[in-house]
Amino acid sequence: MLDRGDQKLVMAISQGDRKAFNKFFAAYYPKILSFVRTITKNDFLADTVVQDLFVHIWMRRSQLTQVHALDSYLFASARNIALNLLKSQLHAGTMVDLDDRTASTNVTEEDIAFQELREHVLERISHMSPQRQRVFYMSRIQGRSNEEIAKELGISIRTVETHIYGALKELRAWR
């Protein structure tokens, strides 16, 4: 059961109160992010999962009043999003689990160089704006089309293209 404070917050959010949502986000974001990091083992992916969770909550805010155990709902939702993301990456073969690669006894210089490069790229991406990170992630990691991204985020296709172009430009400039 929700305590009185959470009930008021959930009611305000369900009615579209952005200040209440910002308060909610500030209160729960660090806890959920820490939890998701234990699942993804990757700061960028964890941040993306948590952002997706909060976008999902905002988009379906009218249904939030049906939640009776807010913590359980948030953590279970975050876990499901993270696991679905990891599963889709595994099936698509889009991300390499470097922990498995480096755990073998035959770690080559190429493996080490690849890991260093990947870490540098993820670090560079983490310095991009949250919206640019989200668009780039959806495009390059999830393999979504520009149209799908635009529709889900409520932005124009041209804005999606601009974010992708900007992200790639930043990554190229870093080299």
Side-chain angles (χ1 to χ4, degrees):
M1 208 57 198
L2 296 176
D3 67 27
R4 186 168 287 288
D6 282 345
Q7 283 178 341
K8 286 182 180 181
L9 196 59
V10 165
M11 185 57 82
I13 293 168
S14 71
Q15 295 171 353
D17 184 336
R18 289 181 186 267
K19 287 182 183 178
F21 184 78
N22 289 340
K23 182 179 176 183
F24 171 74
F25 181 86
Y28 284 97
Y29 179 86
K31 294 185 245 182
I32 303 296
L33 181 62
S34 178
F35 170 70
V36 173
R37 277 186 183 136
T38 64
I39 297 170
T40 64
K41 310 283 192 261
N42 179 294
D43 290 344
F44 174 71
L45 292 179
D47 188 55
T48 301
V49 166
V50 178
Q51 288 179 24
D52 284 352
L53 171 65
F54 282 98
V55 167
H56 175 82
I57 289 169
W58 180 253
M59 299 301 284
R60 292 170 179 77
R61 62 189 171 273
S62 63
Q63 299 170 1
L64 196 57
T65 56
Q66 298 170 6
V67 173
H68 299 291
L70 192 57
D71 279 359
S72 297
Y73 171 77
L74 292 172
F75 284 99
S77 296
R79 183 193 68 233
N80 291 339
I81 292 169
L83 293 176
N84 286 338
L85 172 65
L86 293 173
K87 188 182 346 176
S88 71
Q89 288 179 347
L90 179 64
H91 290 302
T94 55
M95 294 286 284
V96 176
D97 186 351
L98 292 174
D99 293 334
D100 289 344
R101 284 183 64 160
T102 57
S104 82
T105 56
N106 297 327
V107 176
T108 65
E109 287 182 35
E110 183 181 310
D111 290 333
I112 294 168
F114 178 78
Q115 183 174 0
E116 288 175 0
L117 176 63
R118 183 174 183 271
E119 288 171 5
H120 287 299
V121 168
L122 290 173
E123 173 67 21
R124 187 67 186 165
I125 291 169
S126 73
H127 287 91
M128 295 177 188
S129 71
Q131 183 76 336
R132 181 161 288 172
Q133 286 181 28
R134 185 177 297 121
V135 169
F136 188 76
Y137 173 80
M138 292 171 80
S139 172
R140 295 306 193 253
I141 305 300
Q142 293 181 334
R144 294 186 183 186
S145 71
N146 292 356
E147 186 178 320
E148 290 173 323
I149 296 167
K151 189 174 186 177
E152 183 170 327
L153 298 179
I155 57 178
S156 72
I157 293 174
R158 182 69 183 133
T159 302
V160 171
E161 292 168 350
T162 301
H163 279 300
I164 293 170
Y165 174 80
L168 292 172
K169 186 176 178 182
E170 285 183 50
L171 290 172
R172 283 187 204 108
W174 163 73
R175 284 196 242 165

